Amino acid sequence: MFAAIADGAATESSLWAQALRPPTEREPLPVFSPLLHDPRFALGLETIYEGYLLHYGRSRLFAPPDPDVALLLGDTLLAHGL
């Protein structure tokens, strides 16, 4: 699931690819998806949460170089998750 989020972002934009943490520094720990009754929504839910973290916290997968990139990447992930 987290590889899909990271790979999808990296494929979409070189800016997002540059913002990815190195694989050894990523924290692929699901937070909300284990609470779902239907696993079909897990990727979307974790993508939305990752976008939220880019806006208001510390991302598990990304380390953007500045707040503007974090905001744009967060918006992108929120949209993809929806």
Side-chain angles (χ1 to χ4, degrees):
M1 168 177 18
F2 291 96
I5 296 170
D7 294 345
T11 300
E12 184 171 319
S13 168
S14 61
L15 186 59
W16 305 155
Q18 293 169 13
L20 275 169
R21 294 182 182 281
T24 57
E25 294 179 19
R26 296 178 192 168
E27 300 168 12
L29 303 171
V31 174
F32 292 105
S33 59
L35 304 173
L36 293 171
H37 294 289
D38 190 336
R40 293 179 300 157
F41 303 112
L43 177 60
L45 187 58
E46 293 298 339
T47 303
I48 290 168
Y49 184 57
E50 193 65 26
Y52 168 84
L53 290 174
L54 282 157
H55 284 186
Y56 301 109
R58 181 181 178 276
S59 171
R60 302 169 288 183
L61 303 176
F62 299 92
D66 64 63
D68 292 334
V69 173
L71 183 66
L72 291 172
L73 178 53
D75 287 349
T76 298
L77 292 177
L78 288 167
H80 279 289
L82 291 172

